[in-house]
Amino acid sequence: MCKLYYLFILVSISFITDASPTSNPNTGVFWQITDIHYDFNYSRFGNPGKLCHQSKTTNSTRSVGLFGNYKCDSPWTLVTTAIDGMKAINAKPDFILWTGDSMSHVSDNQSSLLKVYLTIRNVSNLIHSAFPNVSVFPVLGNHDPYPSNNMPIGSNYYEKIISMSGWKQFLGKSEQEQFMKGGFYVSTVVTGIRVIGLNTNLLYSKNPLVQGHKDPSNQFAWLIKQLEDAKSKGLKVYIISHIPPGAFERTSLKIKWFYPEYNQPYLDILRRYSDVILAQFYGHGHTDSFRILYNKTGYPINALYLSPAVTPWKSSLPGTGSNNPALRLYYYNRNTGQVLDYVQYFLNLTKANLEKKPVWEVEYHATKAYSIPDISAQSLNKVTKTFHRSSPTFELYFKYNSVSHGVQETCDTNCYYIQYCAIVNLDFNDFDRCIFWRGTMPHPAHHRSTIHHHHHKTKSPPDYAFYVIGGLALVVLILALIVGCLCLGRHNQNAGYKYGKFVGPVN
Ligand SMILES: *[C@@H]1O[C@H](CO)[C@@H](O)[C@H](O)[C@H]1NC(C)=O
Ligand SMILES: *[C@@H]1O[C@H](CO)[C@@H](O)[C@H](O)[C@H]1NC(C)=O
Ligand SMILES: *[C@@H]1O[C@H](CO)[C@@H](O)[C@H](O)[C@H]1NC(C)=O
Ligand SMILES: [Zn+2]
Ligand SMILES: [Zn+2]
């Protein structure tokens, strides 16, 4: 079965021709830029241990980077070179998706609401002046309110983002009115295709302001209404937002972004309207990844594209590290809205600083790198079927995951399963089970696959094995607990790592 499957892959690869989408008049392009994290306190002679801020006591003259530093957020030179790079590569995209987090990772006591508004305004004005005639669809990130993560329900904050941070330039009258109610809106991309800009920061588990709310700012209800409306009119929809559902793929902490009571209803809506939703675009993780949404019978029904960040900032999450600054250009069919491909661009920050010259290079073309005809959920699903800890496709994916920065890093078994399980399991329980079972029961496709999708099946144990192995594991666990209690009896140790213990800014 497995061998046959690889044969199938080989055969399909050999039929993929280099159909460069640019030559087709129906093919349009659009940019996604995300997680700029502009820090106006970045100093070329600053301290990389302190976000490259200049310390008052030491007066260093050693440059830590003209275009930025892997431990710090973006200086203005990096922000401008990113926008210049977009313009130089493609100055006439059909539209631009800007998926949040413009503010730096400085602690809240060094910031203020006014600083946040002005920081976002600087970026808004820069984008608008570089692309005066291009539609820009912005959404807020968890670092864009103040204090960070505190995305409010009903507040004049949203009004101020429009009036003080320059989003008047991007949103029409009716979009502005909707945005003021909770930071989300619907707009039109091209004829027949709408974009729904969401505020998933309201679902973020680090947001203390939404606790006790079943549907913060009535966003779920509003979203369902929009999707119903699009469906009844035969329109298609792109969903854009800052924080994606599911878990983060690049940290040993196995962080899940949303509160569990929000993750499930959100996924339920995505599944229910997967025929209306063409694609989804997110940021926040700073890494280059994707997610596949499966229906209940295990068939891939939607792709979530997770674009890497402009900021190279080294995350405080264990295992995450830094990334090269990134920009992404998508290709899509203007008639159907189908997203066909993307080109990932990056700035080699080491090289840019050495040569004092910023050059935005192509990192990879998605369809070429992964040998797939398009970047649909079905095609990406096929890519994940070739993933093993040291399979060439996974190694490639892992290299791109840090925008070719962590090339010297290897992904051990733990790292691999967190990556793989996060990509194919957006449901928290499925993700946990996948990690526990080391990918042998990764998602519904593997144990509830129907006859129609046999070629999607990889070797997985029969269902009863799950309970047999589970029972054995339980026995071993109980034995281990007994032994553990006996051994550790007199060491009054702390109970290991806890998510709640983690402090500091997260992406
Ligand atoms: C950041 O820069 C501003 C002036 O541009 C200065 O007033 C402020 O003290 C700086 N903050 C930090 C934390 O260095
Ligand atoms: C933008 O559009 C206006 C009016 O359609 C036109 O006059 C102007 O030249 C355009 N600017 C650019 C940079 O394309
Ligand atoms: C970035 O540039 C440095 C210095 O020129 C080089 O050693 C490194 O291989 C480059 N990295 C990539 C991903 O191109
Ligand atoms: Zn974020
Ligand atoms: Zn971010």
Side-chain angles (χ1 to χ4, degrees), residues 30 190 193 236 238 278-279 332-340:
F30 60 93
V190 290
I193 304 160
K236 300 290 181 193
Y238 292 151
L278 282 176
Y332 78 112
N333 182 319
R334 284 187 179 124
N335 297 331
T336 64
Q338 199 206 349
V339 184
L340 306 168

Side-chain angles (χ1 to χ4, degrees), residues 100-158:
D101 268 5
S102 301
M103 187 61 196
S104 62
H105 290 90
V106 295
S107 55
D108 289 317
N109 60 20
Q110 284 182 17
S111 191
S112 71
L113 202 44
L114 185 64
K115 277 191 192 178
V116 170
Y117 292 143
L118 297 182
T119 298
I120 300 175
R121 179 157 90 193
N122 279 309
V123 181
S124 296
N125 290 350
L126 185 69
I127 295 176
H128 185 69
S129 60
F131 296 94
N133 289 346
V134 177
S135 303
V136 177
F137 301 108
V139 289
L140 292 163
N142 58 303
H143 282 273
D144 296 332
Y146 177 85
S148 53
N149 304 328
N150 285 245
M151 189 59 75
I153 293 174
S155 146
N156 70 352
Y157 162 74
Y158 299 110

Side-chain angles (χ1 to χ4, degrees), residues 162-187:
I162 287 177
S163 60
M164 287 185 69
S165 299
W167 286 21
K168 228 184 212 133
Q169 304 166 105
F170 305 132
L171 301 177
K173 269 274 168 306
S174 63
E175 286 115 57
Q176 287 179 30
E177 249 164 58
Q178 176 53 53
F179 184 86
M180 285 186 213
K181 292 177 189 158
F184 44 88
Y185 64 92
V186 61
S187 190

